Amino acid sequence: MSQNQNRSGDNNLKYAVDIVLCVDTTASMARMLANVKQSAMSFPNRLAQEMAAKGRGISSLRLKVIGFRDYADCAEDAMVVSPFLRVPDDLDSFEKTVNALHAGGGGDEPESALEALALAIGSDWETGLDRRRHVIVMFTDASAHRLGDPRHTSAATYPQSVPGSLEELYAQWGSGQSHSARMENPAKRLLMFAPESYPWTDIADDWNNTIYFPSVAGEGLEEWEMDQIIATIANSL
Amino acid sequence: MDVEPSRTVQGARVWDHTAPGFVALSVWTERIAGRGEDADPLIVVHWPTARGLIAVFDGVGGAGRASAGSTPVGQERTQAWVAARRLRGLVEEWFVDGPSVDALHDKVVTRLAADITVRSRMRGRIHREFPSTLAALAFTMRPDGVRWDVVWAGDSRCYVVEPDRGLQQLSLDDVDGSDALDLLLQDPPMTNMVSVDREFALNRWRGQAPAPCVLVTATDGFFGYVSTPAQFEHVLLDTLWFARDPAHWGELLAERVAAYTGDDASLAVVALGFKGFGNLRASFGERRNLLRHEHDEPLRAAADRGEDAVRTARSDSWRKYRGGYEQRLAMVVGEDDR
C-alpha cells in the first residue's frame, strides 16, 4: 500500500460548541444591545468562518441567550432564558430571541449578573460528542449584586437553583480536579466583557479557564467591537 | 542561528543532517500561510563533547493573540508568534552558555519580551503575555547509549522511540489530566506555559536509553489531531518506511501532517546509533507492521461502521498501546535509570 493511501486513522476531530450569551439588558446597555442584535444573524456564520480559518470544524453549534436585569429593581422581568437553539436549524428562533431583548430598567448599579451566570453554568450542556466546548459569554457594564441577599431571593420569580454565595457558585464552576463542578473542566470557558468591579476582577483572577476584557466603569462596552468579540470567542475554543 | 532548509514543499520546511551514527531531521508547517506561530524547530550538536539538543516551540495563540507590533513591511505579529521565536533563540543560547535549567528560566523571564512595550488589556486565567510552549531534549551521546535532560513547559512533548519498545512519552503535559487519549479527545487548556506576565515552571526530568534509539520533540499539531496516541507513532514510522533518505522522510511527514492537522505543526528528530538511514528504516520495519495491523487497520475498518465503532476501536487501541507508551512516565518524578 502506498503511504498516501494509509491515512484512515487520521482524526479530523471536530468541535461541538455550546455558547450561552448572558446579556445585561438594563437601560445603560442600549447601544451594546443594538450591536448584539445587529450581529445576531451573522454570528453563527462568522464564528464558523473564524473556526474554519483556524482549521477547526464545528460538528454541532448550539446557542442560548440569557437576558438579565435586576431582581432588586423589578423581579418580574429580571431574567429571560431561552433553551439551547441549534444552528442552523433553529436560526429563526435565535434571531427572534435576540430581537425580543430590549434595554430598559435595572435601576442603579449593581445588576443580577451572578444569577444569570449561575443559570448559564446550570445549562444542559452537550455531553456526547468529541472535543466539546462549553462557553459562557458575559456582556455587562455594571457590577453584580452579591448572591444570597434575602431582598432578592425572596422574590417569587427568583430561580431556586441559584447558589447562596459566590463561593458556592465557584464550586459549581469547579477547579481542575473538583468533584462538585457542574461544568466539564476541559470544555468550559468564561469570557467576560465587564467593568473592573465586583465580582469580575475576582472571577478573572480566581476561576480557571477565564478571559476577561475589562471596560472602563461607566463608559459601557463600546470599545469592544463585535468582530473582535467573535474572533475572541473562536480563539478561545 | 537560522539555517536554510534542505527542502521546501508547499510552504512546509524540512531540514536534515547525517553523520556517522547520527541522523537529524526537522519539519515545520503552518496552517495559514504567513501566520504560523510555531518557531522553526531547533537542532544543535557540539561534536567535541558529543552533546546535542532538539527542541520545538509553539506560540500559544489562544492565550496570546494580542499584537506585539508589526514587521518593517507592515505585517502584524502576535505576542505568541514573537514569544516562540525569541524563546528559540534563548534556548539555543542556553545550550551554548551552560546547562542550568534555572539559568534558562532567568533568561526567559528577563529577555522574552525585552524592548517590547505593547501590553494587552485582556486578562483572565487563560490569557498570557508572550506565551509559548517549550519541549527540549538535551542529550549526551555515549558509546553504549544516550542520556538526556528533558525540559518542558506546556503541551508540546518529548519522546524516545526504541525499535523493540516503540514510542514512549518523556514529558507530562501541563494540563489537568494525564490520560493521553482523553487529552487527545478533549484538548484541555494548559495550566503552565512560558510567558512574561506570571510565574511559570520549566519542568525537568533526566533519563537514558541504550543505542540505537530515536529522540523526538513535537508540537501538538503533530500528535494532537490523530485518532489515538498509537497513530502518531504510526505516522512517524509509516513515513520512515516509505522514505528514500532523511529529507524525503521530512517531506512525507510534512505531507502527512498537512492532511490531518488543524494547527501549525513542528517536529525535531535525532536518530542515534544506527548504521545509516537504511539501517534506521529497517530497524523499525517490524514495529511499523505491528502498528499497522494492531492499530491502524482496525481504526480504518471502524471508520466505515460509524462513530460508535470508531470510539470502540480507539479505546481498544489505547488499551493495548498504553502500557508501552507510558512506561517511562511512571518514573517522571526523579530519574529514569533504565
Side-chain angles (χ1 to χ4, degrees), chain B residues 42-235:
Chain B
L42 178 63
I43 301 180
V44 283
V45 177
H46 185 246
W47 292 109
T49 57
R51 292 172 52 240
L53 180 139
I54 58 174
V56 291
F57 317 85
D58 179 359
V60 186
R65 194 169 187 266
S67 174
S70 299
T71 65
V73 295
Q75 184 167 13
E76 190 173 49
R77 294 303 189 192
T78 64
Q79 293 187 359
W81 190 97
V82 171
R85 283 150 182 84
R86 284 197 167 187
L87 183 59
R88 182 185 187 278
L90 294 171
V91 169
E92 184 175 3
E93 186 181 287
W94 168 66
F95 175 76
V96 173
D97 286 352
S100 160
V101 175
D102 290 338
L104 174 60
H105 188 276
D106 291 345
K107 276 182 196 290
V108 174
V109 168
T110 56
R111 293 171 53 193
L112 188 64
D115 304 322
I116 302 178
T117 54
V118 176
R119 291 289 187 274
S120 167
R121 288 183 57 213
M122 198 189 306
R123 290 160 53 185
R125 293 278 292 276
I126 287 180
H127 178 70
R128 302 283 199 286
E129 302 279 345
F130 293 88
S132 178
T133 71
L134 163 66
L137 213 159
F139 58 91
T140 303
M141 295 170 278
R142 299 173 172 214
D144 58 339
V146 57
R147 292 186 66 92
W148 62 72
D149 289 285
V150 172
V151 180
W152 78 95
D155 65 357
S156 297
R157 291 182 184 165
C158 302
Y159 302 93
V160 61
V161 201
E162 296 176 279
D164 56 340
R165 295 171 184 266
L167 185 75
Q168 301 149 59
Q169 192 173 332
L170 300 178
S171 54
L172 269 175
D173 295 2
D174 283 316
V175 298
D176 289 319
S178 59
D179 182 302
L181 182 59
D182 282 349
L183 300 183
L184 196 58
L185 301 179
Q186 296 171 347
D187 186 25
M190 282 176 265
T191 54
N192 175 58
M193 68 189 81
V194 170
S195 70
V196 297
D197 62 323
R198 67 180 71 182
E199 288 288 320
F200 64 89
L202 291 181
N203 308 292
R204 64 196 80 173
W205 182 43
R206 182 167 292 175
Q208 61 185 341
C213 65
V214 176
L215 305 178
V216 179
T217 59
T219 61
D220 66 342
F222 257 103
F223 59 78
Y225 293 83
V226 289
S227 290
T228 65
Q231 206 63 27
F232 174 53
E233 185 182 349
H234 183 253
V235 168

Side-chain angles (χ1 to χ4, degrees), chain A residues 3-185:
Chain A
Q3 58 88 24
N4 285 326
Q5 294 173 302
N6 198 5
R7 288 179 176 164
S8 58
D10 298 345
N11 193 351
N12 291 320
L13 281 173
K14 291 186 176 172
Y15 289 76
V17 181
D18 286 347
I19 299 176
V20 180
L21 302 170
C22 297
V23 186
D24 181 340
T25 56
T26 57
S28 61
M29 286 287 291
R31 198 183 301 177
M32 181 68 185
L33 192 55
N35 198 359
V36 170
K37 283 184 177 182
Q38 199 171 17
S39 306
M41 276 303 287
S42 61
F43 179 87
N45 272 339
R46 289 161 69 184
L47 183 66
Q49 286 169 3
E50 283 279 342
M51 291 287 283
K54 294 168 66 64
R56 295 174 175 180
I58 296 179
S59 58
S60 161
L61 174 60
R62 302 191 307 163
L63 300 170
K64 174 176 175 171
V65 180
I66 299 177
F68 65 90
R69 295 193 178 93
D70 187 352
Y71 283 99
D73 176 58
C74 181
E76 283 68 34
D77 70 348
M79 201 71 65
V80 177
V81 182
S82 84
F84 270 119
L85 300 167
R86 191 171 292 281
V87 175
D89 297 355
D90 300 327
L91 202 53
D92 287 349
S93 299
F94 176 66
E95 182 188 15
K96 285 176 187 167
T97 301
V98 173
N99 281 333
L101 299 174
H102 66 278
D108 294 335
E109 262 206 309
E111 317 293 3
S112 295
L114 284 176
E115 283 81 357
L117 182 54
L119 293 177
I121 289 172
S123 297
D124 53 335
W125 301 101
E126 177 67 67
T127 57
L129 301 172
D130 297 334
R131 288 217 170 169
R132 296 179 288 278
R133 290 292 181 264
H134 301 159
V135 185
I136 299 171
V137 189
M138 171 66 69
F139 298 102
T140 183
D141 63 351
S143 61
H145 284 296
R146 292 177 189 278
L147 294 172
D149 187 332
R151 291 172 297 177
H152 309 151
T153 57
S154 59
T157 55
Y158 193 88
Q160 297 301 305
S161 61
V162 173
S165 69
L166 186 60
E167 290 70 29
E168 289 176 47
L169 187 61
Y170 172 57
Q172 291 187 0
W173 176 257
S175 55
Q177 305 296 336
S178 160
H179 296 293
S180 58
R182 293 192 178 180
M183 306 287 295
E184 282 185 55
N185 191 57

Side-chain angles (χ1 to χ4, degrees), chain A residues 1-4 6-13 15 50 52-56 128-133 176-177 184-186 189 196 201 203-216 223-224 231-232 235-237, chain B residues 31-32 61-65 121-127 175-177 183-189 224-228 231 234-235 238-239 242 252 255-256 259-263 288 292 296-297 299-301 303 307 311 314:
Chain A
M1 179 185 302
S2 100
Q3 58 88 24
N4 285 326
N6 198 5
R7 288 179 176 164
S8 58
D10 298 345
N11 193 351
N12 291 320
L13 281 173
Y15 289 76
E50 283 279 342
K54 294 168 66 64
R56 295 174 175 180
L129 301 172
D130 297 334
R131 288 217 170 169
R132 296 179 288 278
R133 290 292 181 264
Q177 305 296 336
E184 282 185 55
N185 191 57
R189 304 285 188 273
E196 293 185 281
T201 50
I203 290 175
D205 290 340
D206 297 339
W207 294 25
N208 66 354
N209 299 11
T210 56
I211 301 177
Y212 176 37
F213 296 80
S215 55
V216 177
E223 62 192 295
W224 302 111
T232 302
N235 219 44
S236 74
L237 300 178
Chain B
R31 192 67 180 79
I32 302 172
R65 194 169 187 266
R121 288 183 57 213
M122 198 189 306
R123 290 160 53 185
R125 293 278 292 276
I126 287 180
H127 178 70
V175 298
D176 289 319
L183 300 183
L184 196 58
L185 301 179
Q186 296 171 347
D187 186 25
Y225 293 83
V226 289
S227 290
T228 65
Q231 206 63 27
H234 183 253
V235 168
D238 196 51
T239 49
F242 286 101
L252 295 179
E255 179 188 309
R256 182 72 69 90
Y260 67 76
T261 193
D263 204 348
R288 177 250 176 192
R292 182 179 164 197
D296 185 60
E297 288 178 347
L299 272 167
R300 185 181 326 138
E307 289 189 7
R311 288 195 179 93
R314 272 198 309 234

